[in-house]
Amino acid sequence: MVPIREPKTYSVLLADELTLVREGLAALCVASPNASSNSMAGFGPRYKVVGQCSEGAVALRLIESEAPDIAVLDLNLPDLFTLEVVRRVRQTNGITKIVLLSTRRDRKTVVEALRCGANAFLLKSGPAHQLLDAFEQILDGGIYISPEIELNKIFASGSKASNDDPLHALSAREYQVFSLLCDGVRAKEIAARLALSPKTVDTYRASLMRKLDIHDVAGLVKFAIQRDLISSR
C-alpha cells in the first residue's frame, strides 16, 4: 500500500496599505484546502499567512527575515516603492515568489514588473480564484498574468503600437519616477522611496519629461489619465 504523504503548506506574506484587503487575502489563503492526491482527506490550509504589513520597507524586512514561499505585494505600497522592493529581493532572495496586485493594466507597467522580477501580475478587479490560480502556477515554475490583460499586446515585440508609445522610451527608473509623480508624490519622498538622492530624482524627472515632451507635473498627470494609468477622480 502506498503511504499517504501529507502535502506541503506554503508560507505567504501579504503587503497592502488597506487592512480590509489584507484580511480578505488572508481569509482566502486560510480557506484554501490542502488535500492529498491519494486521499480526499484534508490536511489544513494549503497556504499559511506568516506576516502582514502596509509599507514597502516593512515588507522587504519581513521577506528577508521570514523568506516566505510567496509574497503578495500591492504595486503602490508607501514608504519604499514596490518595484524597488522586488528589485532588492531579487538581488538576495531567489526563493520567494512575488505576486503584484495592481489596478493598472498597461503594457509598460506589466513589463517593468516582470523585468524587476515579479512572478505574477494580478488585477485587483479580478475574481478571487485568480490569486490561488497564480499561486499554483508560480510555485510550479511559471509566470501568471491576469487573463483580462491581453498578452499579445504585452509581449509583442517591435509592434507599431509599442514603438509609437513614448512611454516605452523611458528607462525602468524613469518610469518609476513618472509613476510616483503621477500619484502625487513629491520629489523628496520619491527619492526616499526609491533610495536615490534628490538630485538623481531631478535628473530622471527632467529626462522623462524631455522624452515625453511634457513640461510640468500637471501635464504628466493628464497624460497618465488619458492612458488609464490613474483615475481622474
Side-chain angles (χ1 to χ4, degrees), residues 27 29-30 34 43 51 59-60 69 72 82 85 98 110-112 118 137 144 160 170 178 190 203 206 212 229:
C29 291
V30 171
N34 200 351
F43 294 96
L60 179 61
D69 295 301
V72 181
T82 304
V85 174
I98 298 177
V110 178
V111 169
E112 289 301 330
Q137 188 154 324
Y144 187 94
K160 185 176 186 301
L170 303 185
F178 164 80
I190 291 175
T203 299
L212 297 178
L229 301 179

Side-chain angles (χ1 to χ4, degrees), residues 26-35 43-48 132 135-136:
L28 185 62
C29 291
V30 171
S32 59
N34 200 351
F43 294 96
R46 183 163 175 77
Y47 302 105
K48 177 183 178 181
L132 300 182
F135 284 1
E136 293 300 315

Side-chain angles (χ1 to χ4, degrees), residues 47 122 127-139 144 147:
Y47 302 105
L122 285 178
H129 74 82
Q130 288 182 2
L131 181 69
L132 300 182
D133 291 346
F135 284 1
E136 293 300 315
Q137 188 154 324
I138 63 178
L139 288 171
Y144 187 94

Side-chain angles (χ1 to χ4, degrees), residues 148-180:
E148 293 83 359
I149 297 175
E150 298 179 65
L151 294 183
N152 61 322
K153 292 183 179 180
I154 297 300
F155 294 110
S157 59
S159 66
K160 185 176 186 301
S162 297
N163 293 333
D164 288 347
D165 189 343
L167 276 180
H168 298 300
L170 303 185
S171 69
R173 280 298 198 192
E174 287 169 350
Y175 188 69
Q176 291 173 9
V177 173
F178 164 80
S179 297
L180 292 170

Side-chain angles (χ1 to χ4, degrees), residues 7 25 38 52 93 109 168 224-225 232:
L25 295 173
N38 297 322
Q52 297 186 39
N93 180 333
T109 297
H168 298 300
I225 291 173
S232 59

Side-chain angles (χ1 to χ4, degrees), residues 38-102:
N38 297 322
S39 170
M40 294 303 292
F43 294 96
R46 183 163 175 77
Y47 302 105
K48 177 183 178 181
V49 177
V50 295
Q52 297 186 39
C53 63
S54 61
E55 297 179 339
V58 178
L60 179 61
R61 289 198 298 270
L62 287 174
I63 292 171
E64 290 174 341
S65 63
E66 300 294 331
D69 295 301
I70 301 171
V72 181
L73 312 176
D74 179 74
L75 185 62
N76 290 316
L77 290 174
D79 187 34
L80 184 62
F81 191 51
T82 304
L83 292 186
E84 179 65 14
V85 174
V86 177
R87 188 184 70 81
R88 294 194 191 184
V89 168
R90 283 293 164 258
Q91 288 179 337
T92 59
N93 180 333
I95 299 174
T96 300
K97 306 292 186 180
I98 298 177
V99 177
L100 293 185
L101 302 180
S102 177

